Amino acid sequence: MGRLKLQAGINAIEEEPEESDPSYSNKTTLACMINSEIGAVLAVMRRNVRWGGRYMSGDDQLEHSLIQSLKALRRQIFSWQHQWHAINPALYLQPFLDVIRSDETGAPITGVALSSVYKILTLDVIDQNTVNVEDAMHLVVDSITSCRFEVTDPASEEVVLMKILQVLLACMKSKASVMLSNQHVCTVVNTCFRIVHQAGSKGELLQRIARHTMHELVRCIFSHLQDVDNTEHALVNGSSALKQETGGPNNEYAFGSRQLENGSMNSEYDNLPLSTNFASATVGTANVMDENIAIPGSGKETIPYDVHLMTEPYGVPCMVEIFHFLCSLLNVVEHMGMGPRSNTIAFDEDVPLFALTMINSAVELGGPSTCHHPRLLSLIQDELFRNLMQFGLSMSPLILSMVCSIVLNLYHHLRTELKLQLEAFFSCVILRLAQSRYGSSYQQQEVAMEALVDFCRQKTFMVDMYANFDCDITCSNVFEDLANLLSKNAFPVNCPLSSMHILALDGLIAVIQGMAERIGNGSVSSEHSPVNLEEYTPFWMVKCENYSDPNHWVPFVRRRKYIKRRLMIGADHFNRDPKKGLEFLQGTHLLPDKLDPQSVACFFRYTAGLDKNLVGDFLGNHDEFCVQVLHEFAGTFDFQDMNLDTALRLFLETFRLPGESQKIQRVLEAFSERYYEQSPHILANKDAALLLSYSLIMLNTDQHNVQVKKKMTEEDFIRNNRHINGGNDLPREFLTELYHSICKNEIRTTPEQGVGFPEMTPSRWIDLLHKSKKTAPFIVSDSRAYLDHDMFAIMSGPTIAAISVVFDHAEHEEVYQTCIDGFLAVAKISACHHLEDVLDDLVVSLCKFTTLLNPSSVEEPVLAFGDDTKARMATVTVFTIANRYGDYIRTGWRNILDCILRLHKLGLLPARVASDAADESELSAETGHGKPFTNSLSSAHMPSIGTPRRSSGLMGRFSQLLSLETEEPRSQPTEQQLAAHQRTLQTIQKCHIDSIFTESKFLQAESLLQLARALIWAAGRPQKGNSTPEDEDTAVFCLELLIAITLNNRDRIELLWQGVYEHISNIVQSTVMPCALVEKAVFGLLRICQRLLPYKENIADELLRSLQLVLKLDARVADAYCEQITQEVSRLVKANASHIRSQLGWRTITSLLSITARHLEASEAGFDALLFIMSDGTRLLPANYVLCVDAARQFSESRVGQADRSVRALDLMAGSVSCLARWTSQAKEAMEEDEVTKLYQDIGEMWLRLVQGLRKVCLDQREEVRNHALLALQRCLTGADEIYLPHSLWLQCFDAVIFTVLDDLLEIAQGHSQKDYRNMEGTLILAMKLLSKVFLQLLQDLAQLTTFCKLWLGVLSRMEKYMKVKVRGKRSEKLQELVPELLKNILLVMKTRGILVQRSALGGDSLWELTWLHVNNIAPSLQPEVFPEQDLEHLQHKQVESVGGLVTDEKGSVLSNQTVSREDAGIVG
């Protein structure tokens, strides 16, 4: 069908220039204009034969009255004295209007007269202040709407009709239009619609102009709704409205009309004639006024407007009538039997589209003001929305698109009044059409999706859906369904990406970005306290105190959602076992502990997803409790003003009517009782309701059961129901209506179980209107993130999946960017609402797209990466998320590390990633240990990987790449390769990978811990000996990173330490050969200790204990690194000696140092450290004293290095006595008595350990060391004056140290060759001197002891042995000289001090006797020398006793030895 699309032409006709220049107020100018119009009309009339000749008539008139009145006006206009606004417009309009009304004039004359009126109206002569303007405007409208003319040819008729439209529109747009009455406005619209209708049989142009004018009229009228006062009788020209109107709406509407013409409306009309019955149903001059349609509502609202109101200046009444009329245009199509495919689309589309377009304009312009006018609002709530639901399922994309636009406008302006209607629209239209499985065409799906995405772009739309529907137990989960729909529709399943997928993705991302934007608006951080129902409260009665205050409605909504979720779980349990289901709900406090009928009834009524068969069985049960539940259940329905069949349909929709007749009877009894209680109008009693209900059920079975062959007729039905109404008959028309309703529309007694989305049936619509009066108010959310946490938790999974799949399939950069924006928004929301699992899923998903985790089949992965935009964008996004939202990443760190390791293998990481940012200077100094870390792998090991990592310089990287290929001559990289490589490097730069680790000190504890665990996991478990170079490189790199974050987080070392220690421990204990990994582990450990000891005294012991790992190194490994390890330990000690407090810590340090004593390269550094600790005594502590002494002993015994060092070590040991002395003196001053005693005891033990250590060195093979050790021992023994040493300790010392060393040296001198021990004689002399000196120094104290005698005999026996010792086979002359001399000295001292005196007592003096017994064996000449005055006789007597010389002597000596040793054992024990 060829359509004229002459939009420009329409403009030309419609919008003649509007002459509103003030200069026209000049009286004469206006008079001239009107004069010229009179001339024009007369001229056309004269051309006509009827008017042209002399007017012949039987009357006296010379001319026809029409011409006369025009001429009379001509005579008057120039002589009027007043201003134009003081002249009654009727005077100069009447002659023209008479011409228009006259049926004698032909079309050309009427047309010119209409043009004249149009011109006068547009001159702005007439406004609301003009005299008699109201009558004049009514006159114009009446005249134009009753225009008559003779039709001579179709073209001229169309011209006249077009001009009528023009004048009517000019009337409505003129400033004086506010004076028109409601009735006149309705007439104008009606006339216009008649022309629209007639135009169906005329030309295309007229059709277009007629529709356009109609549209403009509606816009013009409804644009005044906002100026109308808030009353039912509201008028446009209330005093306030007048002021606003004087600005004149002309310009506004000229713009408005143009805007609409560019829309789809004009070009889409069909020129099919409208059927005649349609016209008769809607057209007729008085039609608009006469239709007294009762609008659903209550009380006075249902009364039609009275005549008086219709004659007042126009306002809401005419708008209600016009809106009602527009809705009725939609109904007409319905009455004609509009099946989805019954008529051609052309007709189905034409009228509804025309009506919908005008309704849309009315809604747009009426806007929120509609709320203030109940009749208009109720039209929208019921009639309009019911039609929208129906046309929403239209096959025509144009109609569907217009319906969606109207609903979007209604959502915008009136959502608070349309809660359940909106729910129904989304459930029954959008969700149904947007999925192909419900039979919708691709076009329908696309339009529905576009509409949904438009809704999603409204910032608070999804929040509104969630708060009002998902969190309301009586509504469906609209938000969840819509979010799932978007996610599902974004998924390309086995098909390439289409515009539909991108559209759904846009919707999803709009929702997500809305949430992300709300984060900045506050109310996020309020940690959601989980909802918990402590006690039973009726869940269907939960109310909110204030629906407009977020402090009230947010907790209320969350509580309702919790209840709804629990009810769903309860429903699931109920469907498996009704008893357990009810018990579960009692357990969650949704039902009372003792079940009551009302609560169970409400559970059945308000819980979605229940098995309707089970509910039916329960309700039909004869058990008394079940019967009570049934009656309560019926009581939840609202059957007010409902037809019986509608009520019955609604009732039986909620469960399956049981099959047994008794159960059916019980159910219907409950129903009838409730129905009669609420709608007693026609029925006499509840029995009548019961019988009629039964009758309807039987009729339903009869009509719709295929097995019933002979169907019941209407007469049969009426006959069956005689006398049931309390003995009387029910009205015949009532029964007829019921009969037809059931025949046409089956009552389904087996409701479909959970089939997709419900259809909107008439009975459901009635129920919806009933519910909408009682439903909770619509909650309007603001721009803060109150519920985003809960919403996002629901939609995040499908959303990430959908965006990922689109990203995977996409090929265009703008789609990539859309997806990336979505990913970043998801990350922001997850982080902000602390949804760590979601963030991890996102990271996992994104890491797949970096292509870094794919096994590299590509020959040149670096170039492939450079050429892959998607991979590069994904990589930057992963690292952006890691840097921005790392606090909330948990398991995702593993995937991020996999990417980092891959980049590392490709040599793409910046050199400083693994370095510790706080420690650059130290690092550069440290790479000297053994091999440099960086090249722990050479390129020869890894041909597949390319360069050793951290290669620098683009060309360097390339030459290496190219040299790996074959032996062919190297070729220069191409431009493309260079560009790809450059892109790769830029991408890596944008990632800021290093800051993940350098900034790790700002990570939250849990995230940091997971990062460290991921590093340990990525490094893999070390295996003995069979790891590839590549694995080792990875392990080294991970360890570097682990150490870096450990050092960066010294304040939180407690958190990381256990994992780091175990990892290093595994490496150390599983490595059998020196390698980069173990090197990094050991030195990393030492570095950690060095850096952390000063800051972390609380874990100093643990840190130092960890160094024991070094002691567990395999011998070969330890040997390789011993020197560097020692240097590090030395550095550690020097830097941190003051921070090492505990014995445990020192034990580790000294163990490490002791080991080095036997290692050639390491011993120097080790001794250096020991020297540092022991040299000036300030670093020796009771905690480390014994350990240091022991370490010094090991150095002194060590044959590695010069003997000089052993001597220095001995000096350190000997010098340490001064520390003991110092501590003793400090203790006296500072401490409590019992503490002092304890400390003295400890100091004594330390001293004993010191001298025991020296005793061991005294046996050294090297003469210099051995002798120095004896001197040192002597210093320690004689220098112990200031130390408090109890006598028992001295006895122990003699026994375990002095006597033992003498005995051991004697044994060595006699038993070893001269080669091993040079010059033993000198050593023995030193030993003898030591014995003498110490004994003399302690004589005074020792003499007091009861065991002194044994001690003394021990000394004598040693002297005796030394006297007789043979060195190299002969006795030593020096000893022969020295021993008697020393002995003499001792005896003299003993004599002087009165220790050795002869006491004549009974039984003899054992000390005296025994002394001389031994002395005479050593040097018989000593007694006379020491005691010359003794009686000679006595001496002789003694000598007689000792005959037998040696044997006795030896025997005696043995005896005495045994005695001593026995006593010693006692002392030691």
Side-chain angles (χ1 to χ4, degrees), residues 970-1010:
R970 294 185 184 187
S971 58
Q972 282 297 312
T974 63
E975 284 292 319
Q976 285 91 336
Q977 285 178 317
L978 276 171
H981 195 264
Q982 197 57 44
R983 283 194 295 272
T984 300
L985 294 181
Q986 283 168 351
T987 301
I988 302 304
Q989 219 168 352
K990 280 187 207 158
C991 291
H992 302 296
I993 296 172
D994 51 336
S995 55
I996 293 176
F997 303 100
T998 55
E999 301 298 309
S1000 62
K1001 51 178 157 303
F1002 303 117
L1003 279 180
Q1004 282 188 4
E1006 182 57 28
S1007 176
L1008 178 66
L1009 191 57
Q1010 293 290 351

Side-chain angles (χ1 to χ4, degrees), residues 304-369:
Y305 291 117
D306 59 14
V307 176
H308 162 67
L309 244 187
M310 293 306 282
T311 55
E312 287 194 353
Y314 89 94
V316 174
C318 72
M319 294 184 203
V320 170
E321 292 296 350
I322 292 166
F323 201 83
H324 183 71
F325 167 65
L326 294 175
C327 293
S328 71
L329 281 180
L330 297 172
N331 289 337
V332 167
V333 181
E334 188 184 314
H335 298 323
M336 291 176 61
M338 176 194 148
R341 294 186 180 76
S342 57
N343 303 356
T344 59
I345 275 199
F347 176 70
D348 286 354
E349 239 177 28
D350 197 40
V351 178
L353 194 56
F354 176 51
L356 288 168
T357 309
M358 289 190 286
I359 288 170
N360 191 35
S361 291
V363 171
E364 281 172 349
L365 292 163
S369 316

